[in-house]
Amino acid sequence: MIAAKENFPTFTPEEYFAWEEQQLEKHELIDGRVHLRGQVDAMTGGSKNHSLLAARLITLCSVHLEGSRCDTATSDLPINLLESNDYTYPDVSVTCDDRDQTTTQYIRYPCLIVEVLSPSTEAYDRGEKFRRYRQNPALIDYLLVSSTSIVVDLYHKNDAGDWLILNYQPGDVIELKSINLSFPIESLYRGLNLTETPPMSP
């Protein structure tokens, strides 16, 4: 589970957004308490590959959806988990729901959510975070992208409402039915150094 700083008070959504605007880092709001985004067990995720993969996915989606009623969002836009006062920051999200046109600080009805995995966040992204996300009937595709190897996992909700897991590896074409977009997996990973390097000492 994401670790919260013990000295943080509990917040209402209104208090959370007012407080968040003053912070240098992004925080999620879960059960009234704020949590540093990407922090799990006191370890922070994120890397150059993480940033490049997120940027490429944002570009693929936004170019494909240009002129449509869908919006592609970066990790700066939180999602309000449906029927709760919880807010999370996925790496990429797409909404095609008219109800999200009336909000200014968050969206509620994404059809696609993308998380770029880091060693410190993978268990949370696959487990508790997905459990919360999939309670939203608008969500169709949940894409998990490895930042250390050419591996992509897609959780796709079919017409019967069942979640299927599709695993993509080199040579595969990723299909996002939520936004009718297909692309080769190599288009994400071109030129990336997938060799893990230890973090620099402070």
Side-chain angles (χ1 to χ4, degrees):
M1 182 59 187
I2 290 183
K5 293 185 178 180
E6 293 182 358
N7 59 333
F8 285 164
T10 57
F11 287 115
T12 66
E14 294 77 14
E15 292 168 338
Y16 161 70
F17 280 112
W19 177 85
E20 181 77 341
E21 288 179 357
Q22 307 301 316
Q23 307 308 306
L24 297 178
E25 298 177 284
K26 297 296 183 183
H27 299 79
E28 298 183 346
L29 182 69
I30 304 294
D31 297 329
R33 299 192 66 85
V34 292
H35 308 262
L36 185 62
R37 181 185 181 274
Q39 184 168 350
V40 181
D41 296 331
M43 295 189 300
T44 57
S47 65
K48 179 180 178 181
N49 282 355
H50 189 287
S51 178
L52 292 175
L53 286 163
R56 290 174 183 180
L57 282 157
I58 290 166
T59 300
L60 281 168
C61 293
S62 59
V63 170
H64 172 70
L65 295 170
E66 185 175 0
S68 74
R69 63 186 183 90
C70 301
D71 293 324
T72 304
T74 70
S75 59
D76 288 330
L77 182 67
I79 291 176
N80 174 213
L81 301 182
L82 207 58
E83 299 181 357
S84 79
N85 289 326
D86 296 343
Y87 295 82
T88 65
Y89 287 91
D91 289 306
V92 185
S93 59
V94 174
T95 178
C96 301
D97 196 297
D98 291 338
R99 291 170 290 184
D100 282 329
Q101 299 299 320
T102 62
T103 57
T104 59
Q105 293 177 301
Y106 57 85
I107 61 172
R108 278 200 178 104
Y109 305 100
C111 59
L112 168 66
I113 293 175
V114 179
E115 296 285 4
V116 179
L117 300 175
S118 301
S120 60
T121 63
E122 182 170 356
Y124 177 59
D125 288 338
R126 290 187 183 276
E128 178 65 16
K129 202 170 194 180
F130 179 47
R131 184 191 69 78
R132 291 173 175 265
Y133 281 152
R134 68 175 180 258
Q135 294 175 10
N136 191 328
L139 185 64
I140 297 173
D141 287 324
Y142 182 53
L143 193 70
L144 298 179
V145 180
S146 172
S147 60
T148 58
S149 58
I150 304 178
V151 175
V152 172
D153 293 333
L154 174 64
Y155 293 78
H156 171 74
K157 185 171 65 178
N158 64 17
D159 293 339
D162 299 319
W163 285 96
L164 309 176
I165 304 176
L166 304 172
N167 307 112
Y168 296 101
Q169 298 179 3
D172 291 338
V173 174
I174 298 170
E175 183 178 7
L176 300 177
K177 293 184 178 179
S178 56
I179 57 173
N180 194 29
L181 171 64
S182 299
F183 55 91
I185 193 172
E186 281 79 9
S187 66
L188 292 181
Y189 289 94
R190 66 183 184 280
L192 295 189
N193 179 3
L194 298 177
T195 302
E196 295 186 65
T197 56
M200 296 179 62
S201 300

